[in-house]
Amino acid sequence: MTVFDWFVWCAGGVLGALVLLYSWVRLTWPTAPQATVTAEITTPDGHILPLYHHAAQGGPPKATVVCLHGLGASHFNFNFPGPANLAAWLAQRGYDVWVTSLRGDYDARPPTQGDGDGYSFDLYVQRDLPAVMAEVRKRSGSTHLHLLGHSMGGLLSYAWVAAHGDAGLASICAIASPVGFE
């Protein structure tokens, strides 16, 4: 058997194992309900951001959670189709969960004229987050929100507190977000 033959057999084995794993997951794991766009938020400079909602199940919400995705990602960080859906998992446990995509994401739309003020971390903090937080407060009736951020979403949470203070925040949870840059 040559090295190439060995490689082909191994690749075929790995591919076969992945097909079996995928089939098993699709057949045995329950599918989480998918959220649809509940609202479209317009930022002060004209970007249109989708807002997805997973309503709390089993009674009144324990708390209101706003999920902020990482760099190069979208709402799918928290709202992934299928069983790996953190937003649906939290909603099943009684939390009112809101997920958005920020400017520049595939499901967010730029202004009809130009590109608004552009795309940057600062604009996420100055334009996108205030619009998202205000809309979630209005729709949920909650005055204190929990921010759940993955990677850059956690950094956005830190920046929100630095820029706006912690008024109106109940907590911040940062997943895989650096806490320093030494």
Side-chain angles (χ1 to χ4, degrees), residues 18-171:
L18 289 174
V19 167
L20 286 173
L21 178 63
Y22 174 79
S23 300
W24 178 76
V25 166
R26 293 292 293 168
L27 292 172
T28 61
W29 285 21
T31 302
Q34 289 300 294
T36 56
V37 174
T38 302
E40 290 187 328
I41 304 163
T42 303
T43 65
D45 59 343
H47 286 267
I48 299 171
L49 312 177
L51 185 63
Y52 302 86
H53 181 226
H54 287 269
Q57 297 175 17
K62 294 177 183 176
T64 303
V65 179
V66 177
C67 299
L68 302 172
H69 63 74
L71 180 66
S74 68
H75 73 280
F76 283 125
N77 264 148
F78 296 98
N79 197 29
F80 195 76
N85 186 322
L86 182 59
W89 186 85
L90 289 169
Q92 290 166 356
R93 280 143 187 86
Y95 294 92
D96 192 33
V97 184
W98 300 83
V99 185
T100 190
S101 290
L102 301 171
R103 67 180 60 215
D105 294 335
Y106 81 94
D107 56 343
R109 296 193 316 268
T112 54
Q113 300 291 322
D115 69 349
D117 289 337
Y119 306 89
S120 72
F121 184 89
D122 290 341
L123 290 173
Y124 290 149
V125 176
Q126 297 166 357
R127 301 282 196 310
D128 294 8
L129 285 185
V132 168
M133 304 273 279
E135 187 69 22
V136 169
R137 282 191 179 106
K138 181 177 94 176
R139 288 180 175 269
S140 70
S142 180
T143 57
H144 286 77
L145 306 176
H146 297 267
L147 291 179
L148 174 59
H150 169 253
S151 190
M152 181 192 70
L155 295 175
L156 290 170
S157 300
Y158 305 155
W160 174 267
V161 172
H164 303 282
D166 62 357
L169 285 184
S171 71

